[in-house]
Amino acid sequence: MAKLDERIGFIGGGNMAFAIGSGLVSCGIVKPSQVLASGPHIENLARWRELGAITTDENCDVLEHTDIVFICVKPHILGPCAAQLKCRHVPSAKDANKLIVSVLAGTTLKTLEEKFDFIESSGLKVIRAMPNTSMQVGEGCTVYTGNSRVTHQDLEKVHLMLNALGLAQQVPEHMIDAVTGVAGCGPAFVYTIIEALADGGVKQGVPRAMALQFAAQTLLGAAKTVLITGKHPAVLRDEVCSPGGSTIVGVHELEKGNLRATLINAVEKATQRSAELGKK
């Protein structure tokens, strides 16, 4: 039995939307028949149909026929998308309870309220969220915040959905761009580290597949150790670094290569870019 009765819609059926939608189905939060996804090319939504969800190439179908609507288009598509929906929207008594959840990088609650003000004249319920694609394996990291119209019950429903796919936490809106740099973009940074670590193993004679598996498992184990023990990463690193041993020699090379500064700079640049995208 599904944990939510509402119909869940996705305007934009790309990777992030599918990570959320498929995750909600696999966790039993909703049934496949409760999910409706749209995209400009119906043939690109085949994986949604394989999931058991309903698909359409009309965004207005999602807006009209679902209760919680995830906006999953690219930030620069928001304006045209909202304009199209406005032209075709048929006002309904259900609009007052409709909940819009945006996963658009850098797009503020104020902007979302302005773009979708045609849905409910007395004020639309909007939640701004920033998930990451690790949701597809149930290990996502998502932050979210709501506007003044969102109720405690609305927040509970969104938390139930997002937290079922990993870690979800409500934060003030001013923190979301910064968290985008850490968690939203972070998987790509970590994938780069995994690839480089595996390449290092291959250079030393480890078979490619084995090196990649070992590198990924090493990062998984290290991450779980941080979360479960609660110890600071520096303390855990020191526990691995024996005096005069091989690990401290390797750590020295990382410091010489400015790994720490490079990652800090990457988060900073990603945060800045997130804010910029929302202004376009």
Side-chain angles (χ1 to χ4, degrees), residues 2 21 47 51 111 120 127 131 175 219 224 255 262 276:
R47 57 182 174 173
L51 183 68
T111 296
E120 174 55 38
I127 287 179
M175 287 180 57
L219 265 74
K224 289 186 73 171
E255 296 291 358
T262 300
E276 291 170 0

Side-chain angles (χ1 to χ4, degrees), residues 218-272:
T218 297
L219 265 74
L220 174 63
K224 289 186 73 171
T225 302
V226 171
L227 293 174
I228 293 173
T229 67
K231 292 181 180 180
H232 192 282
V235 173
L236 292 169
R237 183 189 62 223
D238 286 349
E239 290 177 357
V240 184
C241 293
S242 303
S246 56
T247 305
I248 190 61
V249 171
V251 169
H252 184 210
E253 291 300 317
L254 295 179
E255 296 291 358
K256 285 162 61 177
N258 292 321
L259 175 66
R260 184 194 307 269
T262 300
L263 287 173
I264 292 172
N265 291 340
V267 171
E268 180 181 12
K269 294 296 184 181
T271 298
Q272 292 171 353

Side-chain angles (χ1 to χ4, degrees), residues 75-76 105-107 270 272-280:
H76 68 279
T107 305
Q272 292 171 353
R273 181 57 176 164
S274 174
E276 291 170 0
L277 288 171
K279 294 176 183 177
K280 291 189 174 182

Side-chain angles (χ1 to χ4, degrees), residues 79-101:
C81 176
Q84 179 201 51
L85 290 169
K86 183 176 182 178
C87 289
R88 303 184 181 184
H89 177 62
V90 178
S92 165
K94 297 187 296 182
D95 288 349
N97 292 318
K98 199 172 293 291
L99 180 61
I100 301 295
V101 182

Side-chain angles (χ1 to χ4, degrees), residues 73-247:
V73 298
K74 299 296 184 184
H76 68 279
I77 301 295
L78 176 62
C81 176
Q84 179 201 51
L85 290 169
K86 183 176 182 178
C87 289
R88 303 184 181 184
H89 177 62
V90 178
S92 165
K94 297 187 296 182
D95 288 349
N97 292 318
K98 199 172 293 291
L99 180 61
I100 301 295
V101 182
S102 165
V103 300
L104 278 63
T107 305
T108 65
L109 288 171
K110 181 180 179 182
T111 296
L112 294 164
E113 290 169 346
E114 291 171 350
K115 296 295 184 184
F116 294 103
D117 62 356
F118 62 89
I119 297 177
E120 174 55 38
S121 58
S122 62
L124 183 67
K125 298 194 290 187
V126 182
I127 287 179
R128 177 184 175 188
M130 178 44 59
N132 66 22
T133 54
S134 298
M135 280 184 152
Q136 61 192 313
V137 293
E139 295 294 346
C141 183
T142 307
V143 291
Y144 63 91
T145 191
N147 69 353
S148 60
R149 287 270 299 160
V150 170
T151 67
H152 179 69
Q153 186 178 26
D154 293 327
L155 290 171
E156 283 187 333
K157 290 177 182 177
V158 169
H159 185 83
L160 172 66
M161 289 189 288
L162 300 178
N163 203 55
L165 307 178
L167 171 68
Q169 187 168 327
Q170 184 179 0
V171 299
E173 185 175 21
H174 68 82
M175 287 180 57
I176 290 187
D177 284 333
V179 176
T180 299
V182 176
C185 305
F189 305 159
V190 174
Y191 296 146
T192 303
I193 293 171
I194 291 172
E195 181 186 30
L197 199 58
D199 284 346
V202 171
K203 184 179 179 182
Q204 299 305 314
V206 181
R208 168 68 64 183
M210 185 182 294
L212 187 58
Q213 182 181 30
F214 288 173
Q217 179 63 37
T218 297
L219 265 74
L220 174 63
K224 289 186 73 171
T225 302
V226 171
L227 293 174
I228 293 173
T229 67
K231 292 181 180 180
H232 192 282
V235 173
L236 292 169
R237 183 189 62 223
D238 286 349
E239 290 177 357
V240 184
C241 293
S242 303
S246 56
T247 305

